Amino acid sequence: MKKSQIIGAFLSILILIGMHFVPESIGLSRAGIHTLGVLIAVILALVLEPLPLGVTCMLAIPLMVVFGVTPNISQALSGYTHYILFFVLVSFGISEAIARVPLSNRLLALLIKLFGTKTQNILFAFMLCAALLSSIMSNVATTAVLVSVVLNFLNVYRDQTERRRSGKAFMIGLPIASMIGGMMTPAGSPLNMLGIDFLESAGIRISFIQWMGIGIPVALVSLLAAWKITMAVFKPAEIDPDCIKNYIQTLDIPDKLTFKEKYVGIVISALFILWVLSSWFPVLNITVVGMIGFAFLFIPGVEIFTWKDYCRCVSWTSFFLIGTMMSLGNALSTNGVSTWLVDLLFSSQMNLSAHLIAALIGLITFLLLIPIPIGPALITMLGGPLVSVASVWGVSPALLILPLVICASCCFLLPLDTVPLLTYSTGYYKMMDMPKVSAFIQIVILICVAIWVPIALRVFGFM
């Protein structure tokens, strides 16, 4: 075992033992204290990895029962019955379909043609491509699809030193762009759907179009800032234009669209159109439409891939991470931990403008992502109590939930989330390289959220 794994195992066990000695006088019931203890132990294990991430997530379920966090195993598995988990599974099928045909490579080649062959423009092309794809499919899947393309591109560099320096920019820019792009539409991230779910429980329905009106402006400004900051910090080396042309040739893009490429394009276009129409026809639920479209990828005679291929492409770590965190989130709410935490963080009275409230929620979210670098955990922990706090403050719950979701979706201060871990594992950058750009990008996102979200909510009639 690595030293970090030993430390992770020791600290997790220490937390599980130590929570029995915490007095209830802190304001939590015994069940609440144990819920918080299990959550902290699980987060430590996820960050330091004494066990594989998926195994840790599975182990958390029986721990909830053993330590009295939930009365039975059915309650401990409550997160695994949520519709969002099925959307996660569907999104990996959509991603695999795009990867099976030259659509992503064709989009990338088009962007390079539009923006030119300078390295800074190619970096923007990669980041824009990641953001656009991520707006309709999982951030994890988007990054997984494009990381191999980026690795292939970096081989264009002849000089090893230039390749390593440039690789930092591309490998850090890719996951950041994917996570920023995920805020554009409800389908871009399961976290968006978690936020929508909390708002619907409060009687507020944000349509697909309305979410786009809120998310796209924030995403575009943040993406441009992320590109500029990444370029300024890492300064990728320039490449001969002829090498770029040769690289585009290696993408092996057919001159004409193949039948399967057309078919996948039609299915994805139909999904997006139906998702937009869900703004007016609630029956066209995002997950319902996604599951139907997913089935069309397996129709005999035109099947894009087999069921076995699909099972291999699914990120089961993401599946178990979201399911377990939603289960823990339910327990946090049931056992009063979420309310206790919100009472600690927020005053019962808040005489601030809407812009300052949005900024405050975003800032606290980013600060909490440092000890809890897992978006689903934060949203499930804080979503319900923030809806209650909104009624006390006399503001729309959307003013609190949307900054929470948008900022929690951008969990890239350090490469601890599943998305940046995909590029961190390539070895092109170190753990502390990422904050050199990500900290400044989060500040830009915070400013955009504080300015735009209250304005958009007023335009759409939520305030």
Side-chain angles (χ1 to χ4, degrees):
M1 293 177 71
K2 297 178 182 177
K3 186 181 291 186
S4 61
Q5 292 177 305
I6 296 172
I7 293 173
F10 175 76
L11 290 178
S12 295
I13 294 171
L14 188 65
I15 293 293
L16 293 176
I17 295 173
M19 68 186 184
H20 293 280
F21 300 96
V22 177
E24 294 183 26
S25 58
I26 65 169
L28 284 174
S29 65
R30 181 53 52 191
I33 293 169
H34 285 189
T35 305
L36 189 59
V38 170
L39 175 67
I40 295 171
V42 168
I43 289 171
L44 284 170
L46 290 173
V47 172
L48 298 173
E49 285 192 73
L51 293 170
L53 298 183
V55 175
T56 298
C57 292
M58 293 181 71
L59 183 60
I61 300 301
L63 288 179
M64 292 170 68
V65 180
V66 169
F67 291 112
V69 173
T70 59
N72 52 56
I73 189 68
S74 296
Q75 296 252 355
L77 288 167
S78 61
Y80 286 86
T81 62
H82 203 284
Y83 72 90
I84 290 173
L85 222 53
F86 286 89
F87 180 79
V88 172
L89 293 176
V90 165
S91 70
F92 282 104
I94 295 171
S95 305
E96 180 65 9
I98 292 175
R100 289 286 173 130
V101 296
L103 275 177
S104 58
N105 286 347
R106 196 180 292 278
L107 174 60
L108 179 60
L110 175 63
L111 291 173
I112 292 175
K113 183 178 180 181
L114 289 174
F115 292 105
T117 57
K118 284 189 175 182
T119 303
Q120 62 176 7
N121 295 343
I122 293 174
L123 175 61
F124 183 73
F126 271 112
M127 294 179 71
L128 182 59
C129 184
L132 292 174
L133 290 175
S134 186
S135 69
I136 57 170
M137 63 192 220
S138 161
N139 304 335
V140 177
T142 299
T143 306
V145 167
L146 291 178
V147 70
S148 58
V149 182
V150 175
L151 284 170
N152 184 37
F153 169 76
L154 290 174
N155 289 329
V156 173
Y157 285 97
R158 301 281 191 266
D159 184 88
Q160 183 69 16
T161 303
E162 290 185 345
R163 181 189 301 173
R164 299 296 303 179
R165 187 177 86 241
S166 304
K168 284 184 182 182
F170 283 88
M171 287 300 177
I172 289 176
L174 176 61
I176 288 176
S178 293
M179 298 176 94
I180 289 174
M183 69 175 74
M184 289 187 182
T185 74
S189 170
L191 303 187
N192 300 345
M193 298 176 69
L194 270 175
I196 288 173
D197 200 47
F198 277 116
L199 289 176
E200 286 184 348
S201 69
I204 295 176
R205 182 177 180 271
I206 291 187
S207 69
F208 199 93
I209 290 290
Q210 288 169 335
W211 185 284
M212 289 173 66
I214 296 168
I216 288 178
V218 176
L220 290 179
V221 174
S222 302
L223 185 67
L224 284 169
W227 168 56
K228 285 290 188 181
I229 293 168
T230 304
M231 282 294 305
V233 172
F234 295 116
K235 298 179 175 63
E238 287 296 335
I239 308 173
D240 189 297
D242 290 332
C243 293
I244 302 298
K245 292 176 183 177
N246 292 334
Y247 163 71
I248 294 175
Q249 293 297 322
T250 65
L251 294 176
D252 194 25
I253 303 171
D255 293 333
K256 294 184 179 180
L257 294 172
T258 64
F259 171 76
K260 287 193 173 183
E261 192 175 1
K262 291 178 182 177
Y263 185 79
V264 170
I266 291 170
V267 169
I268 292 175
S269 299
L271 285 175
F272 187 77
I273 291 169
L274 291 173
W275 284 334
V276 170
L277 290 176
S278 69
S279 301
W280 299 277
F281 303 98
V283 70
L284 298 174
N285 177 275
I286 295 173
T287 302
V288 171
V289 171
M291 292 173 77
I292 293 172
F294 171 75
F296 273 87
L297 301 175
F298 295 89
I299 289 181
V302 294
E303 61 183 353
I304 306 303
F305 47 83
T306 66
W307 179 255
K308 288 183 178 179
D309 292 332
Y310 164 72
C311 291
R312 283 193 293 267
C313 79
V314 172
S315 172
W316 294 106
T317 297
S318 300
F319 174 85
F320 285 112
L321 178 63
I322 294 173
T324 293
M325 285 304 160
M326 289 178 67
S327 294
L328 279 167
N330 292 337
L332 290 166
S333 178
T334 301
N335 295 327
V337 180
S338 298
T339 303
W340 173 79
L341 181 61
V342 168
D343 288 342
L344 284 179
L345 295 174
F346 302 103
S347 167
S348 58
Q349 298 295 326
M350 190 63 66
N351 297 318
L352 297 176
S353 69
H355 297 283
L356 288 177
I357 289 175
L360 176 65
I361 298 298
L363 177 61
I364 290 175
T365 301
F366 279 138
L367 290 175
L368 287 175
L369 281 174
I370 298 173
I372 309 173
I374 301 164
L378 271 187
I379 294 174
T380 52
M381 183 191 305
L382 299 178
L386 283 180
V387 170
S388 301
V389 167
S391 64
V392 175
W393 289 356
V395 300
S396 169
L399 182 61
L400 307 187
I401 295 298
L402 287 172
L404 169 67
V405 172
I406 291 172
C407 293
S409 300
C410 298
C411 183
F412 46 62
L413 182 64
L414 292 168
L416 298 174
D417 185 84
T418 308
V419 180
L421 275 174
L422 288 170
T423 60
Y424 178 72
S425 62
T426 63
Y428 271 96
Y429 63 96
K430 296 179 180 179
M431 184 73 68
M432 296 312 297
D433 284 329
M434 201 160 197
K436 294 176 183 177
V437 297
S438 58
F440 296 103
I441 296 167
Q442 286 186 334
I443 292 172
V444 173
I445 293 171
L446 184 61
I447 294 170
C448 290
V449 166
I451 294 173
W452 178 245
V453 169
I455 293 173
L457 290 177
R458 290 191 188 97
V459 170
F460 292 128
F462 293 112
M463 290 177 56

